[in-house]
Amino acid sequence: MKALRLRLVPSLGTVLLAAVATANVTLWLVARPPGQPTGRYLGELLGAEAVLLLSCALVLATILPTIERAFGGLDRVAVWHRRAATVAVLLLVPHLLLATSAADRYATQVGSGFGVVALLGLGVLSVWALAPRLRATRRPGLVRRLAGIGYERWLSVHRLSGLFVIAAVAHGALVAPALHASMLLRVTYLAVGGTGVAAYAYRELLARFVFPAHDYTVSDVRRPNETTTEVSLEPVREPLAFVPGQFVVLSFGGTSGWQRHPFSVTSAPYDRRLDVSIKAVGDYTHDLHDKLRRGTPAKVAGPFGGFDYRRGGHDQIWIAGGIGITPFMSWIRSLDGSFDRSVDFYYSVRRRADALYADEIEAAARLHPTLRTNVVVTEREGLLTAEQAANGRPRGTDVSVFMCGPPPMMTAFAEGFRALGMPASQVRWEQFDIR
Ligand SMILES: Cc1cc2nc3c(=O)[nH]c(=O)nc-3n(C[C@H](O)[C@H](O)[C@H](O)COP(=O)(O)OP(=O)(O)OC[C@H]3O[C@@H](n4cnc5c(N)ncnc54)[C@H](O)[C@@H]3O)c2cc1C
């Protein structure tokens, strides 16, 4: 099939990220104080760049709505958070080699100690964060074991990353001779590091007050199949306002002890009731499937994310895989006379019995003829491909793709659409696995 139209539009967020990273290097190159040996100065430059990228990663981790908008989706924020942090940690290796290549009279035990703590802490946390991806390439031993540790435990430890960034900032401020020699470099460095630390403090201490949880009560629990729990929640006071496609962070009272997990809303915003559909994939979600009862108190924080088809053009492809149907249900339940997109909607499930909401989706398609739905039962028809989903669209077609489903499926589609010449900026996906 011919390539779809190539329209490379980097998001505002990536442009800003590239701009601050480049500006920092440029500043260090033009503001080099006299008397700094080249090797050591280069090492300090790399250390300062690592601190800048780590600060950016912490800013992205706040997932503030403006950041999510600037990057064009939470999936992209997660990707750039990971990329910024990974590059930063890799830079620490040449930083260490070069920064120690000449004597440093500021290298006190305390200052160097902060550096060792930061290097070891960030190194271990990065390998742990990337372990599931590294495991895919069959890395043995420790990486395999780290990848096997549960998400909750990983997240609790990962949230300590900010403390290691604080150690890194303190290390640079204490031991870097260039920062002692140049006021401009020192002020910039502290402003950059301070921004990262402030973002971390916001995320860990203040975010819960900025997005306070709403009190709800479970009003209904349905179990349409052996792995899915559909939950309806009634607000105790005012209902949460959200845009279709957004997700909330939900915690239920009772034996599960108020663990916080993200779930996409499936109901429409005009409904006072809030619905979610939960697939049992791990301990917590299995527990909900077995034990969640009507009357259980719940806390709903958010809303978060911006998975919204109205941000795409006229011609669209929607792809849902399994439980990835949830954000699409909120869209479909919110459709009214103003719906003006032309959509090929593919809902891929393993067995026909897994196709939750199939009747409701077909009823919506009858009401809105420009929404063309296809339920793909892979056990019978094989896996849907990007080429099939593109449905013979000729070269030059300007099409927006929205997808949500299991990570391997999303990766396969992203690669498939790229092979068809479609730029990543036209393909949005809601990521249920944000590690
Ligand atoms: C934006 C978003 C929207 C989601 N919407 C839905 C939905 O509508 N329906 C649905 O069934 N699932 C949804 N999920 C996935 C859901 O959050 C996880 O399946 C659930 O948290 C698994 O918890 P567990 O302890 O049972 O499983 P585990 O085995 O502990 O975790 C399985 C995977 O779920 C993810 N996960 C686990 N705990 C968390 C957490 N606290 N925060 C973030 N991710 C976590 C991790 O990727 C982990 O690898 C969504 C996830 C995200 C990020």
Side-chain angles (χ1 to χ4, degrees), residues 74 132 147 149-155 227-229 245-250 259-266 275-288 304-305 323-327 404 407 430-435:
L74 212 62
I149 297 175
Y151 184 89
E152 284 293 320
R153 205 166 294 166
W154 167 75
L155 187 63
T227 53
T228 312
T229 316
Q246 285 192 298
F247 70 94
V248 292
V249 175
L250 246 176
Q259 272 193 43
R260 292 156 46 85
H261 289 251
F263 297 105
S264 300
V265 178
T266 56
D275 284 354
V276 290
S277 257
I278 300 173
K279 180 166 179 184
V281 293
D283 291 350
Y284 180 72
T285 42
H286 271 111
D287 221 40
L288 290 180
F304 302 104
I323 195 64
I325 188 66
T326 49
C404 183
E430 186 71 326
Q431 222 164 322
F432 280 7
D433 184 348
I434 48 176
R435 180 165 176 172

Side-chain angles (χ1 to χ4, degrees), residues 151-174:
Y151 184 89
E152 284 293 320
R153 205 166 294 166
W154 167 75
L155 187 63
S156 313
V157 182
H158 190 73
R159 288 170 65 175
L160 300 177
S161 316
L163 297 180
F164 296 114
V165 177
I166 294 173
V169 175
H171 161 73
L174 289 172

Side-chain angles (χ1 to χ4, degrees), residues 197-221:
V197 174
Y200 179 59
Y202 161 80
R203 159 111 200 195
E204 293 304 319
L205 305 173
L206 296 179
R208 69 200 67 187
F209 301 110
V210 178
F211 295 102
H214 292 58
D215 287 313
Y216 275 76
T217 307
V218 174
S219 58
D220 196 14
V221 183

Side-chain angles (χ1 to χ4, degrees), residues 35-109:
Q36 305 293 319
T38 302
R40 190 184 71 193
Y41 187 72
L42 196 58
E44 290 176 70
L45 181 160
L46 295 176
E49 188 70 357
V51 164
L52 177 120
L53 292 173
L54 289 167
S55 291
C56 289
L58 289 174
V59 169
L60 296 188
T62 60
I63 56 166
L64 284 166
T66 33
I67 292 175
E68 191 271 329
R69 269 197 298 277
F71 280 83
L74 212 62
D75 53 325
R76 301 276 152 71
V77 177
V79 166
W80 284 102
H81 165 82
R82 193 164 55 233
R83 284 182 185 165
T86 308
V87 173
V89 173
L90 290 175
L91 288 182
L92 294 180
V93 178
H95 158 71
L96 179 67
L97 296 175
L98 291 166
T100 51
S101 62
D104 173 1
R105 67 190 169 104
Y106 299 102
T108 59
Q109 256 189 351

Side-chain angles (χ1 to χ4, degrees), residues 376-398:
V376 181
V377 180
T378 55
E379 180 174 86
R380 229 175 34 213
E381 302 163 57
L383 293 179
L384 178 72
T385 64
E387 193 161 349
Q388 286 163 349
N391 198 17
R393 281 173 173 78
R395 190 180 188 85
T397 305
D398 190 0

